[in-house]
């Protein structure tokens, strides 16, 4: 009987590892996309005549807001997942 539990634990551990890797890859892709958009914001603002420091701040604010939102969303998902595990 304990062999079945060990097999189940192994499967769960592997699934958790795969999920963590998939999440890391997704967040990396998201960060890369946000950096491209931030660059576009900087270029567009400069093309519109916005002073460089202000355009840079606009791009930085967008980056921070989006990355913070993604981080908070990830933390909330993890908290919900951990809550489900305890029930």
């Amino acid at each position: 009987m304990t062999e079945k539990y060990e097999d189940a634990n192994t499967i769960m551990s592997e699934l958790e590892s795969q999920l963590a890797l998939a999440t890391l890859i997704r967040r990396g892709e998201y960060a890369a996309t946000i950096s491209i958009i931030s660059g576009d914001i900087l270029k567009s603002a400069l093309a519109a005549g916005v002073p460089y420091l202000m355009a840079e701040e606009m791009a930085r604010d967008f980056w921070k807001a989006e990355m913070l939102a993604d981080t908070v969303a990830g933390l909330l998902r993890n908290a919900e997942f951990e809550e489900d595990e305890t029930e």
Side-chain angles (χ1 to χ4, degrees):
M1 192 72 152
T2 57
E3 189 174 312
K4 287 183 182 180
Y5 289 124
E6 289 174 7
D7 290 342
N9 286 337
T10 301
I11 291 170
M12 289 300 294
S13 178
E14 288 177 19
L15 288 173
E16 287 175 358
S17 295
Q18 290 174 4
L19 180 61
L21 180 59
T23 300
L24 181 62
I25 290 168
R26 183 193 57 77
R27 291 194 71 212
E29 291 170 346
Y30 183 78
T33 301
I34 296 304
S35 67
I36 291 168
I37 295 170
S38 295
D40 288 345
I41 290 170
L42 178 64
K43 287 183 208 174
S44 296
L46 291 173
V50 175
Y52 181 81
L53 291 177
M54 185 181 290
E56 183 182 42
E57 186 175 344
M58 291 166 59
R60 188 180 311 116
D61 286 348
F62 174 77
W63 166 266
K64 286 179 185 177
E66 288 301 313
M67 293 309 295
L68 177 62
D70 185 56
T71 300
V72 169
L75 291 172
L76 290 174
R77 277 191 302 274
N78 288 343
E80 289 172 1
F81 179 71
E82 289 173 3
E83 187 177 289
D84 289 345
E85 284 183 339
T86 59
E87 291 178 358

